[in-house]
Every structure is written in C-alpha cells, then in structure tokens.
Amino acid sequence: MASKALIEEPVWASWSDEQLLNLRLCDLHVHIQGTPLSQSIKQLHKELASHGLRFRPHCWLSDDWYCPDGIPGIAIPFYMSHPRLAKLELSQMLEVEGGTPDWCMRILRHEAGHAIENAYRLRRRHRRQQLFGKTTKPYPDCYLPKPYSKRFVLHLDTWYAQSHPDEDFAETFAVWLTPGSDWRERYDGWPAIKKLEYMDSLMTELVGVAPPVTARQRMDPLPTLRKTLREHYLQKRELYGLNYPNFYDRDMRRLFSSATEYRGQPAAASFVRRFRKEVRRKVADWTGEYQYTIDQVLKDIIEYCRERQLRLTVPEEQAKVDFTIFVTVQTMNYLHGGRHRVVL
C-alpha cells in the first residue's frame, strides 16, 4: 500500500487548464525526488565529482530557473516536477524552458557555475575580475549582443555570456564542465580560450577542497509562493511580451498586397496562421528570443493582414521562406536595437 501511495497522481493532474490556473503554487505539493529531474541533478553531481570537486549544489523548486546571489544552490521551476505542469507551461508560454534532458542539463550546468562561485567566493579573485569583469556591474534590462564575437563561449541561448560578467563566468564553467565538449579544440584561436584555461586551472585548484560557504538557504521555495498559477503566468507573459517593435507598412507590402490583381491568391492572415508555429520555432532557434514574444508579433501581423485584407503576392512556398526571413530580420533588428532576453 505504501508503494502505491508514492506513485499516486495529484488530484490536479486531470484538471483542465482553467481549473489548474486557479490553484496556488504553494498548493501544488510537488517534489524533486522520484522525478526525471532528480536524475538530471544526480548527473550534474556526477559530472562535478568526475573533476574531483567536492561541491554539490542543493536544489529546490520555485517559480523560475535561478541561483540567488551568495547562495550555493539552484532554484528550479515547478513545471519541471510533473508532466501536467510542463504541459501547462507549454500552453501558456509556447515552450518549456529546460523541458528536454539535454536542455535541462545545459541550464543546470550554467546555474552550477553561479553556485560554485558563491560556494568558494570566486568573484573576489583578481584574475577572475580581470578576465570576466566585476560582479558589481549592474545587470542590464537589455544588452546589445555581438553575434560574431569570439571573446565569449556559446552554451545557452545565443550570446548569453555577453549579458553580464557573472553570466560570462557561468557560461564558461558550463562549457568546461560539459562531458565531451572538447573546448580546447572548439575554442582554439578564440580569445575566449583564456577564460576556459583559467577555469580549468581554477577548478584544478579546488579539487578536494571543501567549499567555505555551505549554507543551504532556499529563496522563494514553492511552499511559500501564494500566487495562483494564473497570476504567475500573467506576470510572466507581461515580462516576455514587452516593447516589441512595430512592423512597418512598407515592409509588409513587399510580401502581401491588397491589389485586385492578387484577388485569387490565398489570404495573408490565413497563410500566417497556418505557418505560425513553424515560423515561431525557427525564429526562436535562430535568434534566441522567446517563442512567446515572437508569437505576439505574429499575432499582430495576422490582425494587420486581416484588417487590410492582404493576400500573397508570390507562390506559397516562396512566401513561406521570405516571411520567415522577414520575421528573423525584424527580430535581429530588435535585438541589435538593445533588447535581449536576460532570464537566468
């Protein structure tokens, strides 16, 4: 009977999204133990041990991925603890950040980079500050990425190491830790190799050394979060949907037209709706922008096309390619205009 109780599904697992959204986070009563997530954490610990490191970050469920300043641990979003919650995350945000084993491990390694800095107070070191910069540099609301820079490693979303010295350190640690990354060969000739070589020597220095900071505080653990899932997603969508640029009429008219000569062509609004998911995913992969943010742009485009009764001006297959390029270029202009996702 006891073993049956351990695998019993929570009552909300069969609820509709509408029912589930009214539940408070603290009432989910989910845990890391016994989930695939626990196996990912064990894998992280195994990778640390393989380098002779004694440090093991503690993990807890919260409302997002992060490592609090000064705490040698990792907060993990609640949706990683149950397939039903991951499904809700997908329906609300159009993607599940960390939702595949590989993606989860990438984020865990990144957050472990922050956590080990906290555990050994590494950001105080002069050489660390020389190579990566100072932690006291303010975190930007946005930053201007340089896609072709070789001064930074590439690990999570494109150019994330460029956002702040602490993220540069965490990304470099993650590349160093990843099994089979072949970082010496991959980054040979890059200025970033100096950071990786420093990381390698630094971690060698810490082999067998107990971390001086061993506190196991947990910031905003799930049982203390009294907001509902609905409130949580309203806040999250507001954060990720802000300040996207308008699409200029001139640019849209290069792809679609309301001229009578195109009256027999497919409606542009219907065309965008049919390829919305595919375009959203491709542009997100290429630019590192959130699918939710891109989807808001596509939603605006559909409305724009519908109001003006626009139609395709070229064959559908060509329109599909041209439209994907169009949205990608606009997104890149947006990123180069000074805004980019800063989340971890």
Side-chain angles (χ1 to χ4, degrees), residues 209-228:
V209 178
V213 179
T214 58
R216 297 181 68 83
Q217 301 105 309
R218 301 182 301 159
M219 180 177 288
D220 294 331
L222 200 62
T224 69
L225 300 178
R226 302 180 65 83
K227 61 184 176 181
T228 65

Side-chain angles (χ1 to χ4, degrees), residues 8-16 20 23 82-85 87:
E8 186 176 349
E9 282 283 80
V11 64
W12 46 257
S14 61
W15 289 2
S16 68
L20 195 51
L23 192 65
H82 195 280
R84 179 65 185 94
L85 299 176
K87 184 178 179 181

Side-chain angles (χ1 to χ4, degrees), residues 137-189:
K137 179 181 178 180
Y139 259 87
D141 292 328
C142 55
Y143 65 97
L144 182 63
K146 298 175 181 178
Y148 303 107
S149 175
K150 294 188 176 182
R151 294 178 55 243
F152 304 88
V153 298
L154 301 173
H155 175 69
L156 285 177
D157 294 315
T158 315
W159 323 304
Y160 190 62
Q162 300 183 34
S163 65
H164 189 270
D166 287 1
E167 304 305 340
D168 191 7
F169 183 94
E171 287 286 82
T172 303
F173 176 84
V175 168
W176 173 85
L177 183 64
T178 302
S181 66
D182 297 324
W183 56 265
R184 292 186 187 277
E185 180 179 343
R186 180 182 177 188
Y187 291 96
D188 183 38

Side-chain angles (χ1 to χ4, degrees), residues 53-330:
L53 297 171
R54 292 178 60 179
F55 172 66
R56 305 288 186 271
H58 64 289
C59 300
W60 67 96
L61 294 177
S62 186
D63 59 356
D64 209 345
W65 291 100
Y66 61 92
C67 173
D69 188 32
I71 297 177
I74 302 171
I76 300 174
F78 61 88
Y79 61 75
M80 294 293 295
S81 66
H82 195 280
R84 179 65 185 94
L85 299 176
K87 184 178 179 181
L88 181 68
E89 175 78 9
L90 180 63
S91 71
Q92 295 294 307
M93 300 305 302
L94 308 177
E95 62 185 325
V96 182
E97 191 168 28
T100 66
D102 177 70
W103 198 356
C104 179
M105 286 308 306
R106 284 176 176 269
I107 297 177
L108 284 174
R109 293 182 189 113
H110 172 95
E111 297 299 347
H114 290 305
I116 201 169
E117 267 215 299
N118 293 336
Y120 291 95
R121 303 188 179 101
L122 300 177
R123 57 177 59 109
R124 299 180 181 181
R125 300 196 176 207
H126 180 66
R127 184 57 175 161
R128 188 277 193 196
Q129 294 178 8
Q130 275 188 324
L131 286 172
F132 296 96
K134 294 185 177 181
T135 293
T136 51
K137 179 181 178 180
Y139 259 87
D141 292 328
C142 55
Y143 65 97
L144 182 63
K146 298 175 181 178
Y148 303 107
S149 175
K150 294 188 176 182
R151 294 178 55 243
F152 304 88
V153 298
L154 301 173
H155 175 69
L156 285 177
D157 294 315
T158 315
W159 323 304
Y160 190 62
Q162 300 183 34
S163 65
H164 189 270
D166 287 1
E167 304 305 340
D168 191 7
F169 183 94
E171 287 286 82
T172 303
F173 176 84
V175 168
W176 173 85
L177 183 64
T178 302
S181 66
D182 297 324
W183 56 265
R184 292 186 187 277
E185 180 179 343
R186 180 182 177 188
Y187 291 96
D188 183 38
W190 289 38
I193 194 69
K194 292 183 179 180
K195 298 175 183 177
L196 284 160
E197 289 172 342
Y198 169 73
M199 188 68 66
D200 189 54
S201 64
L202 181 59
M203 293 303 127
T204 299
E205 179 185 333
L206 297 179
V207 168
V209 178
V213 179
T214 58
R216 297 181 68 83
Q217 301 105 309
R218 301 182 301 159
M219 180 177 288
D220 294 331
L222 200 62
T224 69
L225 300 178
R226 302 180 65 83
K227 61 184 176 181
T228 65
L229 285 160
R230 189 183 306 278
E231 291 167 336
H232 166 74
Y233 283 116
L234 284 172
Q235 294 168 2
K236 193 170 184 179
R237 287 198 299 270
E238 182 179 359
L239 175 64
Y240 297 156
L242 293 177
N243 300 324
Y244 216 94
N246 292 324
F247 284 74
Y248 297 108
D249 185 85
R250 182 190 61 186
D251 297 324
M252 290 294 292
R253 297 288 178 168
R254 291 173 180 169
L255 290 168
F256 312 125
S257 175
S258 59
T260 55
E261 62 188 283
Y262 300 109
R263 187 176 298 168
Q265 291 286 84
S270 298
F271 164 79
V272 177
R273 270 195 297 267
R274 279 189 285 118
F275 294 107
R276 182 175 181 172
K277 184 176 181 180
E278 180 181 341
V279 170
R280 185 183 72 213
R281 178 182 53 77
K282 285 183 177 179
V283 175
D285 287 346
W286 293 342
T287 66
E289 188 55 88
Y290 276 104
Q291 287 199 41
Y292 176 79
T293 310
I294 296 168
D295 193 68
Q296 300 312 293
V297 176
L298 294 173
K299 180 180 178 181
D300 289 343
I301 291 175
I302 291 170
E303 184 63 19
Y304 179 99
C305 292
R306 188 190 62 80
E307 289 179 350
R308 291 161 180 78
Q309 298 183 353
L310 300 182
R311 295 186 175 275
L312 301 190
T313 60
V314 296
E316 192 168 276
E317 283 304 309
Q318 181 182 339
K320 186 177 174 181
V321 173
D322 291 347
F323 181 70
T324 304
I325 294 172
F326 167 69
V327 177
T328 301
V329 169
Q330 292 293 340

